[in-house]
Amino acid sequence: MQQSLLVSVPEEIMDEAPPKSVWQYISAYWTMLCEMYYSKPISHWILLFLSSMGMLVAFPASSLLSRIYFANGGKSKWIISWVSVAGWPLIAIVLIPSYFFLKMFPTPLDLKLTLSYVVLGFLTAADNLMYAYAYAYLPASTAALVASTSLVFSALFGYLLVKNTMNLSIINSIVIITAAMTIIALDSSSDRYGYITNRQYIMGFVWDILGSALHGLIFALSELVFVKLLGKRSFLVVLEQQLMVSLFGFIFTTIGLVVSDGFHGMKYEATTFEGGENAYYSVIIWGIITFQLGVLGATAVVFLSSTVMAGVLNAVRVPITSVAAVILLHDPMSGFKILSLIITFWGFGSYIYGSYSPVKKDASGSIS
């Protein structure tokens, strides 16, 4: 049964005849929303709101910082990958005192849970490296649009692994978003930077799609870990999961950075970075903070809601990133890219409709 925010709608609402006017429809929908709101404590909605804002603000900021890094003299994909997981101690700073204040103990680590953290950490490290290549070769607005395919993969993997809903509306959204990405691919000449070769642009496109596929898989596996191994007991579980996944991702990425002599390269890049060392380390530090806040927000949304909700928010950040990149980084915005953005947004709408509209009640009275 799909887990979503639609958890408990009164039976009398479900049994009513379809509204005969717009006002009746709005009234029935408003009643349903009120029931949804009162079905959870206020702390649930506050945490969900903060987690959602973490995704919608921190993720676009981290994407822009990645592009700023490469545009101003940064070269290492491993450094950007390392930045995305180097903020794991921030979670520990929040988690450890919480044990004392809430008088709770850490979740015991068994073999299955530890292996799941190792696997998710490795996949996260690989995913970050793929996205680093994408932002090295693509404009931020284009990279964000291509990354919207993660919604497609979230739907597919959510259906295969977590048994989330897959209906005609969601299939329609997959087709629409795929068409939008095709338009972007055919319009590659309009937004390719002069110093980027055609082969590099194509590779950036490919790495972006592969990273999006892996991103969707990570979302589904995270929800599976919550449901099968952790039991979705408390918000502290989210902090524990994110801490362990980021820690193992940090270990894998640090190994790659050491092998590629990345730490020595970081010192060299700081001296040659456009804007100076202060600007370089500001990009690195804020990148660490925003990456961690964004991923933590995404993990929390999966915990508090579902893979569907996380996928929707992950998709909504696409137009935010694209518009911000055009305004702040002066990314090119061709007619084809605007068309692709509109079509992608259409796909988002179809996905949301397919995920939340077919509301059916099971034997217990809950909504699946």
Side-chain angles (χ1 to χ4, degrees), residues 1-307:
M1 181 174 64
Q2 179 185 354
Q3 300 169 14
S4 72
L5 294 179
L6 301 180
V7 292
S8 180
V9 180
E11 186 173 346
E12 57 268 21
I13 294 178
M14 301 301 300
D15 294 336
E16 287 181 357
K20 297 181 180 180
S21 69
V22 174
W23 173 250
Q24 288 177 321
Y25 179 83
I26 294 174
S27 178
Y29 192 73
W30 175 255
T31 302
M32 184 186 69
L33 290 177
C34 290
E35 292 293 334
M36 287 168 51
Y37 173 77
Y38 288 114
S39 68
K40 298 286 186 179
I42 186 65
S43 58
H44 172 90
W45 300 111
I46 292 175
L47 290 173
L48 183 58
F49 173 77
L50 293 176
S51 302
S52 300
M53 291 306 298
M55 290 187 68
L56 296 179
V57 175
F59 268 143
S62 64
S63 298
L64 296 181
L65 287 168
S66 296
R67 186 58 238 168
I68 290 173
Y69 167 82
F70 287 114
N72 289 274
K75 302 293 184 183
S76 175
K77 287 78 176 177
W78 278 108
I79 289 177
I80 285 297
S81 300
W82 181 82
V83 163
S84 64
V85 287
W88 69 267
L90 297 176
I91 306 300
I93 293 174
V94 177
L95 178 61
I96 294 174
S98 299
Y99 289 131
F100 295 98
F101 287 120
L102 299 177
K103 298 180 180 180
M104 296 182 64
F105 294 96
T107 302
L109 284 175
D110 56 24
L111 181 59
K112 285 185 178 181
L113 187 57
T114 301
L115 287 177
S116 70
Y117 288 152
V118 172
V119 171
L120 285 173
F122 177 79
L123 293 178
T124 298
D127 188 46
N128 292 333
L129 187 60
M130 292 177 185
Y131 277 133
Y133 274 93
Y135 278 92
Y137 300 141
L138 301 176
S141 56
T142 302
L145 276 170
V146 177
S148 67
T149 54
S150 64
L151 185 65
V152 172
F153 296 108
S154 292
L156 293 176
F157 288 122
Y159 172 75
L160 294 173
L161 300 178
V162 198
K163 307 305 179 183
N164 284 339
T165 300
M166 177 68 73
N167 53 34
L168 289 178
S169 292
I170 293 179
I171 294 174
N172 180 59
S173 72
I174 293 174
V175 175
I176 291 172
I177 293 174
T178 302
M181 295 309 102
T182 304
I183 293 175
I184 286 290
L186 296 175
D187 189 43
S188 61
S189 61
S190 68
D191 66 350
R192 179 165 54 88
Y193 294 124
Y195 59 89
I196 298 296
T197 66
N198 189 53
R199 182 178 181 276
Q200 287 176 324
Y201 185 94
I202 294 174
M203 289 307 301
F205 201 93
V206 171
W207 283 120
D208 208 352
I209 293 178
L210 291 177
S212 299
L214 194 52
H215 204 66
L217 177 61
I218 291 171
F219 268 141
L221 289 177
S222 295
E223 185 174 6
L224 197 62
V225 169
F226 283 132
V227 173
K228 298 294 185 181
L229 300 180
L230 296 174
K232 300 188 70 171
R233 288 176 294 178
S234 72
F235 190 72
L236 285 182
V237 174
V238 178
L239 298 178
E240 291 175 340
Q241 195 254 22
Q242 186 53 45
L243 174 64
M244 296 303 296
V245 172
S246 295
L247 174 60
F248 283 112
F250 175 78
I251 292 172
F252 287 121
T253 307
T254 300
I255 292 173
L257 193 62
V258 170
V259 171
S260 64
D261 199 23
F263 287 109
H264 180 267
M266 189 181 294
K267 295 180 179 178
Y268 173 76
E269 285 185 350
T271 60
T272 60
F273 195 74
E274 186 175 338
E277 292 188 20
N278 288 337
Y280 180 83
Y281 288 114
S282 293
V283 170
I284 296 296
I285 292 172
W286 281 109
I288 290 173
I289 294 173
T290 54
F291 265 116
Q292 198 62 41
L293 289 177
V295 176
L296 176 60
T299 307
V301 169
V302 170
F303 172 79
L304 295 167
S305 178
S306 71
T307 303

